[in-house]
Amino acid sequence: VQASFFSFSIGSGTKISDLTTFCRQFAIMINSGISIVDTIGILKTQSFSAYFKQVLDSIHEDIKGGIMLSESIKKYKKVFPKFFQSMVYVGEISGQLDKVLNELADYYEKDAAIKRKMKSAMTYPLMLLVMTIGIVVLMMAFVIPTFNEALSNMDVEMPALTKAITSMSDFVRAKWKEIILVVALIALLMFLFLKSKTGSYLFDTFLVNCPILKNVVINSVTSKFARGFGLLIASGLDMVDAMEVISKVLGNKNVQKRFEMAIEDVRQGMTLTMAFESYKLFPPILIQMGKPIKFCSVGEKTGELDDVLMRSCSFFDEQVETSLARLTAIIQPTMLIIMGVIVGLMFVAIYSPMLSIMTSLG
């Protein structure tokens, strides 16, 4: 559905599994009393990707030179996201780096699990689409020309559908190089457009407004926000600073833009609850979970916002799974119907002249 949803890379060839394993092993060694410099020295020899090992080697040299871990990782923004950098900084300052790293590992593991489920949900519909395209190409390139050659030697009236299909087949066979070139050019232009700032924003806007996809997108963004923002607040980061950090990892440019507007309102004195309600950032259930108990507002008033958000994560994770199941239930039969209609039309176009011949002979 969305590029950021289905990406398992943090950046520059670094897999999310590398970062998760790094956090988990780092936390275990720090908790065992091993110094940070020795821990990095050990970790850089582990079975990570070559690029990640190079980064760890550079960090190891920085730390040996007296640079703090949080300062060193800032040099590698494509490897360590802003969210990761902020969490490590808070962990170092508070003296709870092992706890923070374990929480980061949990965060990335759950985030990766959601992305795997999204990929799994889309695999079957994509397979059906590829099969449909393959069948159409096969029939256009081989089956229809063979029947057309055989029927051309017979004195039989061609139905309009058969004429249209055979004309398309002749065109595809004659211009297949040009067709491939045009399709490749269109795909390249679409890719470049979606990679641009405007294209990315427009596509994300489409996702949050598309009736079929918006529930999956919104629930995924909400789950990511609740878990990430809860971790940042629990680690002791200021609310506005935490909002600025989490805005970069929401995964949707449209939501991010509205979220940044909410940040300014909170900075000016508006409550978090009011800001979220004003810009309709998240589902109402995040703001109000059963009357008169308010989700964010109660946590905000009692100073337990982090606890409220962390407890809500599992609920929104389930909502993502439910939304995915509904999406799959809609897409799969739709793709089967489209596939059946296309293949059916081609077979009717091919066999209707044959039936006419058989009827005449009868």
Side-chain angles (χ1 to χ4, degrees):
V1 175
Q2 187 183 14
S4 57
F5 280 0
F6 303 109
S7 172
F8 280 80
S9 271
I10 297 297
S12 295
T14 303
K15 297 179 181 179
I16 195 170
S17 57
D18 282 348
L19 198 60
T20 303
T21 304
F22 168 76
C23 291
R24 192 72 73 193
Q25 293 181 356
F26 201 156
I28 292 172
M29 284 188 270
I30 290 294
N31 196 40
S32 300
I34 303 174
S35 67
I36 293 178
V37 65
D38 290 339
T39 297
I40 297 293
I42 295 170
L43 287 174
K44 71 178 185 179
T45 64
Q46 301 303 304
S47 57
F48 297 117
S49 66
Y51 179 76
F52 196 67
K53 285 183 177 181
Q54 291 176 7
V55 171
L56 292 181
D57 187 56
S58 298
I59 292 173
H60 187 229
E61 294 300 318
D62 286 346
I63 296 174
K64 286 196 297 183
I67 299 175
M68 289 182 65
L69 175 63
S70 55
E71 288 297 319
S72 180
I73 64 176
K74 286 181 180 180
K75 300 177 182 178
Y76 308 98
K77 296 179 181 179
K78 292 184 178 180
V79 178
F80 303 105
K82 181 68 175 176
F83 176 72
F84 183 92
Q85 296 174 30
S86 299
M87 289 291 290
V88 170
Y89 172 76
V90 171
E92 278 192 304
I93 296 300
S94 63
Q96 296 182 320
L97 186 58
D98 57 334
K99 179 183 176 182
V100 167
L101 287 168
N102 270 320
E103 289 172 346
L104 278 170
D106 290 339
Y107 172 85
Y108 286 117
E109 283 174 355
K110 290 172 182 176
D111 191 49
I114 292 174
K115 290 174 182 175
R116 281 195 297 269
K117 289 173 183 176
M118 289 182 175
K119 279 192 171 184
S120 177
M122 296 302 297
T123 298
Y124 183 61
L126 288 174
M127 287 177 60
L128 289 177
L129 178 61
V130 171
M131 287 177 60
T132 302
I133 294 173
I135 291 171
V136 170
V137 170
L138 180 66
M139 295 189 73
M140 285 286 186
F142 302 103
V143 179
I144 292 175
T146 302
F147 274 89
N148 188 36
E149 185 179 349
L151 291 171
S152 63
N153 297 323
M154 300 180 185
D155 186 18
V156 59
E157 180 67 24
M158 293 282 193
L161 179 60
T162 303
K163 290 180 180 179
I165 296 294
T166 53
S167 296
M168 288 175 59
S169 175
D170 292 339
F171 177 78
V172 169
R173 295 182 71 207
K175 303 289 185 181
W176 66 272
K177 292 181 180 179
E178 291 84 349
I179 291 172
I180 291 176
L181 183 62
V182 169
V183 170
L185 182 61
I186 292 173
L188 177 61
L189 290 174
M190 287 184 63
F191 174 78
L192 294 175
F193 177 70
L194 292 176
K195 290 288 286 183
S196 68
K197 186 176 180 180
T198 301
S200 177
Y201 177 79
L202 290 176
F203 182 66
D204 285 350
T205 301
F206 164 76
L207 291 177
V208 296
N209 289 287
C210 179
I212 298 176
L213 301 173
K214 68 178 182 180
N215 284 337
V216 177
V217 176
I218 291 172
N219 285 324
S220 176
V221 170
T222 304
S223 174
K224 187 173 290 188
F225 162 76
R227 180 172 289 108
F229 192 63
L231 283 176
L232 290 169
I233 294 296
S235 299
L237 201 64
D238 176 77
M239 183 180 292
V240 174
D241 292 339
M243 291 180 73
E244 289 178 345
V245 170
I246 207 65
S247 68
K248 308 300 181 184
V249 297
L250 292 175
N252 186 282
K253 299 296 184 183
N254 180 280
V255 176
Q256 180 181 335
K257 184 177 180 179
R258 288 182 284 137
F259 194 86
E260 288 171 351
M261 295 167 68
I263 293 174
E264 291 303 315
D265 288 348
V266 172
R267 188 179 279 114
Q268 296 299 322
M270 183 182 289
T271 65
L272 191 65
T273 306
M274 290 178 64
F276 286 173
E277 288 177 337
S278 298
Y279 295 101
K280 298 179 180 178
L281 284 165
F282 304 111
I285 194 66
L286 182 67
I287 310 298
Q288 186 172 345
M289 188 95 139
K291 296 180 180 179
I293 302 174
K294 291 202 169 183
F295 217 165
C296 274
S297 58
V298 166
E300 196 172 350
K301 290 174 183 176
T302 59
E304 297 177 355
L305 179 60
D306 56 323
D307 184 55
V308 173
L309 289 171
M310 293 304 295
R311 283 189 283 110
S312 74
C313 292
S314 58
F315 171 79
F316 288 110
D317 288 343
E318 291 174 4
Q319 289 296 101
V320 173
E321 293 182 26
T322 302
S323 301
L324 281 172
R326 290 174 182 169
L327 177 63
T328 306
I330 294 172
I331 291 179
Q332 288 184 2
T334 302
M335 289 299 302
L336 285 172
I337 291 171
I338 293 172
M339 182 178 179
V341 169
I342 292 174
V343 174
L345 284 174
M346 289 195 169
F347 273 100
V348 168
I350 292 172
Y351 285 107
S352 56
M354 303 296 293
L355 291 173
S356 297
I357 294 172
M358 293 175 65
T359 303
S360 299
L361 291 176

